[in-house]
Amino acid sequence: MEDEFYKKWNIPKCIATADGKHIRIFCLGRSGLLYFNYKDFFSIVLLAFVDINYKFLTIDVSSYGKKDDIITVPFVIVGDGAFRLSKYVMKPYTRSAALIDVNKFIFKYRLSRARRVAENAFALLS
């Protein structure tokens, strides 16, 4: 699988992309603001890992809308800016950092192309 990501998106050691989607819900009684997200509506988070062929490898639908996208796995996963950077999660540089350094710009471009796999899988699912 990592060879396919490298051949198609020029991202080494990547085995999947990750993305999250807020699923709108009605406010649950006595939940307070746990399910109220930064987009100003109540939600639960659908988090998914997607392979190079837009196949959902695993999903989680148990997080409060207020929570960030957080994952910990022993592989390299490509995510967007909502994920925390770690040894196992790669995410794009900020726009300002990428404009300063050409190598960062190229890395951000390649990483952003690869993470679209998860976004496209969600679009196909919708």
Side-chain angles (χ1 to χ4, degrees):
M1 193 175 332
E2 71 180 77
D3 291 340
E4 294 178 69
F5 268 101
Y6 186 73
K7 286 177 188 171
K8 189 164 187 175
W9 304 113
N10 296 337
I11 300 294
K13 305 294 183 192
C14 180
I15 60 164
T17 62
D19 201 7
K21 182 167 182 66
H22 286 271
I23 308 298
R24 188 180 298 264
I25 62 171
F26 290 107
C27 176
L28 301 174
R30 298 184 178 200
S31 67
L33 295 177
L34 285 176
Y35 293 93
F36 195 74
N37 66 38
Y38 68 95
K39 296 181 177 188
D40 293 331
F41 62 86
F42 290 90
S43 68
I44 56 173
V45 176
L46 169 60
L47 179 66
F49 293 153
V50 179
D51 75 4
I52 192 74
N53 298 309
Y54 307 104
K55 179 179 150 190
F56 286 88
L57 301 172
T58 185
I59 64 167
D60 177 78
V61 198
S62 62
S63 295
Y64 300 122
K66 186 175 181 177
K67 281 191 147 184
D68 294 334
D69 299 336
I70 301 170
I71 56 171
T72 305
V73 293
F75 302 103
V76 176
I77 304 293
V78 173
D80 63 15
F83 291 89
R84 292 183 184 159
L85 186 63
S86 75
K87 292 190 283 186
Y88 310 112
V89 179
M90 292 192 300
K91 69 179 199 173
Y93 285 102
T94 62
R95 182 184 177 118
S96 58
L99 291 176
I100 295 171
D101 184 321
V102 70
N103 290 326
K104 289 180 181 178
F105 180 82
I106 292 169
F107 176 78
K108 179 181 179 177
Y109 172 75
R110 290 179 177 173
L111 203 69
S112 295
R113 282 184 6 164
R115 74 176 182 76
R116 281 190 222 138
V117 173
E119 290 178 4
N120 292 340
F122 274 107
L124 292 169
L125 179 67
S126 297

